[in-house]
Amino acid sequence: MSAFSIFGNKKKRGASRTPTAEAYYERLARRAKVGMFSVIILLVTFCLAGYTFYPDELTVENFRYLLKFISVEQTETADIGSVISFDTDASNRYAIVRGDIAILSKTALTVFDTSGQRLQKVTVKSDCPLLITAGKNMLVCDLGGTKISVYNSFSKVYTEDFGYPILGVTAADNGTYAVLSSAKNYRSAIFVYDSNYRQIFAHYYSSDYATAAVLNGDGNRLLALSHVTDGGEYVGTMALYDTRAEEPIVSYSYPDELPLSCSFAPDGGYALLTDKALRFYSADNQLLGNAATDTARLLGCVYGESYAALTYSTDGLAEAKQLVVYDRLGNAVCVQTLKSAPDDIIINDGKLYVLTLGTLTVTDLEGKADTISADVDGDSRDIILYDGRLLVFTNSSVTVYAADTLSKIEMEEPETESSEVDE
């Protein structure tokens, strides 16, 4: 017997046979079932992991934001251009919310995206509408009313009834906000809420009347103004609070002065305007400078990062007004005579933007560039600076200009690839 006979005795492998149609489709069905269950398991695992590690991100608002640019049934069309039109109302208030344009009137809240497409329109009722941006949301209320509502670009997300008239609202960049109101057995009260609408701070005044309040950008500092009458004269108070503590960090008293407004600087310093003086403080609560104010002629005050602008009426000229800009040392760095009261003023990045009588003017307060101006709609009344663009509002429309050149620019379709779902 040959040494390799063991291989010769092996049975030959049977020839392959073509499977029947039933066997072929049965095999495909088994594979499809395995694939389907694998996908389901992966999806469930993904959802569980997302819910476990990112529970705060899984909100209805974020899903709506993802669907922002998907329209199954187009009900409106809007041409891309430099102008958006809306319902005419002299009481309109404006804000930019995550790049979208919000308009609040006495009867409605309307939101447009940057291409002019309407995202939301809801009916509201207010006699004195107030609209403020708070992080990724906006706060809507009727000053003097008792309710405040929180909206995103698509819907209402929260409402609270304070039971007492709302006298003022302020908000921080991170979504923290404060409400001036009152409470039982108290003349005034200030309530501070985080971005999840949870109360994190409250201060109650038993004898003082709260005048104004402002939060810093991080929402962890609060400036609160109040006043009380003593012997027929005002005594004003400014207190600086850490919203994580009850007692104030520092408190100032101003006899015979009525506090009017205040503002934080980016470095933690702050400014205060009373009916007698404009004061600037450093982050370590030291007085940097001050300037006297003329109450009889004072029309308004606007704050910037390192400046404050006061507007005065001018003796002898019925329509002319005087605009004075002060730095933090109390020095007047810019004085302008305006043909009429300014419709709106913005101070940002060392530049002064003034809208008056159909003219928009930009002045470099540091003297690094020439003053430029442009004619705008004669009915223009408000301006907003956002992402290098100036939005100029009338009672029924908004026009977009480049902030550096004041030339009209077209609003573009938003870039969905770079849009963030949450901040």
Side-chain angles (χ1 to χ4, degrees):
M1 178 180 293
S2 170
F4 299 98
S5 59
I6 56 174
F7 297 104
N9 294 334
K10 266 186 167 291
K11 293 183 179 180
K12 293 183 178 180
R13 296 178 63 184
S16 59
R17 295 179 299 174
T18 302
T20 63
E22 291 78 3
Y24 173 77
Y25 286 111
E26 183 178 353
R27 184 171 59 188
L28 287 180
R30 286 197 299 268
R31 291 179 178 177
K33 186 179 294 186
V34 171
M36 180 182 66
F37 281 110
S38 299
V39 171
I40 292 175
I41 292 173
L42 288 174
L43 181 60
V44 172
T45 303
F46 175 78
C47 292
L48 289 175
Y51 183 77
T52 302
F53 298 106
Y54 306 99
D56 296 336
E57 309 299 328
L58 300 176
T59 63
V60 174
E61 290 74 32
N62 284 343
F63 282 114
R64 285 178 175 170
Y65 193 80
L66 288 173
L67 298 174
K68 176 178 178 178
F69 307 108
I70 300 176
S71 179
V72 177
E73 181 180 354
Q74 190 75 14
T75 58
E76 294 185 14
T77 58
D79 294 330
I80 301 174
S82 60
V83 179
I84 293 177
S85 298
F86 42 83
D87 295 339
T88 302
D89 194 322
S91 67
N92 284 344
R93 299 292 180 266
Y94 313 98
I96 302 296
V97 184
R98 301 177 81 173
D100 299 321
I101 302 170
I103 300 101
L104 175 67
S105 69
K106 290 184 177 181
T107 59
L109 171 67
T110 311
V111 182
F112 297 90
D113 66 15
T114 54
S115 69
Q117 181 66 42
R118 194 175 73 183
L119 303 177
Q120 177 185 189
K121 185 174 183 179
V122 295
T123 300
V124 298
K125 184 179 180 181
S126 60
D127 295 320
C128 187
L130 177 66
L131 174 64
I132 294 180
T133 301
K136 62 183 180 181
N137 296 321
M138 50 190 161
L139 306 174
V140 174
C141 77
D142 179 15
L143 286 179
T146 62
K147 293 182 180 180
I148 186 169
S149 297
V150 182
Y151 289 82
N152 59 22
S153 296
F154 311 98
S155 64
K156 182 192 296 185
V157 295
Y158 179 75
T159 297
E160 181 168 351
D161 191 335
F162 288 85
Y164 291 87
I166 295 174
L167 306 177
V169 182
T170 180
D173 297 336
N174 66 353
T176 303
Y177 61 96
V179 179
L180 274 70
S181 186
S182 186
K184 188 176 181 180
N185 300 324
Y186 293 94
R187 286 189 173 178
S188 302
I190 300 177
F191 307 97
V192 180
Y193 297 82
D194 64 16
S195 57
N196 293 317
Y197 328 121
R198 298 173 299 195
Q199 184 176 307
I200 59 175
F201 175 86
H203 182 74
Y204 300 89
Y205 296 92
S206 57
S207 57
D208 285 39
Y209 293 95
T211 306
V214 64
L215 289 163
N216 68 347
D218 295 329
N220 56 12
R221 291 287 190 275
L222 173 76
L223 275 176
L225 307 183
S226 63
H227 67 274
V228 66
T229 54
D230 184 12
E233 295 184 350
Y234 286 116
V235 176
T237 300
M238 177 177 68
L240 173 64
Y241 292 92
D242 185 318
T243 55
R244 296 159 293 189
E246 293 184 2
E247 297 299 320
I249 298 172
V250 66
S251 180
Y252 300 96
S253 180
Y254 305 99
D256 197 28
E257 292 190 40
L258 177 64
L260 300 176
S261 64
C262 54
S263 176
F264 275 103
D267 65 356
Y270 45 93
L272 163 71
L273 175 68
T274 72
D275 62 344
K276 300 293 178 60
L278 172 65
R279 297 178 175 88
F280 296 89
Y281 293 85
S282 64
D284 57 356
N285 308 307
Q286 301 300 312
L287 182 64
L288 296 175
N290 62 82
T293 59
D294 187 346
T295 307
R297 298 192 302 122
L298 183 63
L299 299 177
C301 176
V302 174
Y303 298 97
E305 297 158 329
S306 302
Y307 303 92
L310 301 182
T311 306
Y312 294 99
S313 59
T314 303
D315 296 333
L317 297 176
E319 295 296 330
K321 310 298 175 186
Q322 186 181 54
L323 176 65
V324 184
V325 181
Y326 297 91
D327 63 15
R328 296 179 66 186
L329 298 179
N331 301 316
V333 296
C334 179
V335 180
Q336 296 182 359
T337 299
L338 308 177
K339 295 180 180 179
S340 66
D343 295 298
D344 203 0
I345 298 173
I346 294 176
I347 303 176
N348 181 265
D349 196 25
K351 291 183 173 59
L352 173 69
Y353 302 84
V354 180
L355 174 67
T356 182
L357 273 185
T359 301
L360 180 60
T361 304
V362 182
T363 303
D364 192 324
L365 296 174
E366 299 175 358
K368 297 179 181 179
D370 295 333
T371 298
I372 59 175
S373 62
D375 293 333
V376 298
D377 193 303
D379 295 329
S380 298
R381 53 188 299 268
D382 288 86
I383 51 177
I384 292 179
L385 180 64
Y386 179 78
D387 195 24
R389 295 175 294 176
L390 274 170
L391 284 74
V392 181
F393 293 85
T394 69
N395 291 336
S396 61
S397 67
V398 53
T399 307
V400 183
Y401 296 82
D404 55 348
T405 63
L406 295 187
S407 58
K408 282 188 181 181
I409 60 176
E410 291 189 346
M411 291 170 286
E412 300 176 352
E413 290 285 2
E415 298 178 1
T416 58
E417 295 84 358
S418 61
S419 296
E420 293 183 4
V421 174
D422 210 344
E423 296 180 349

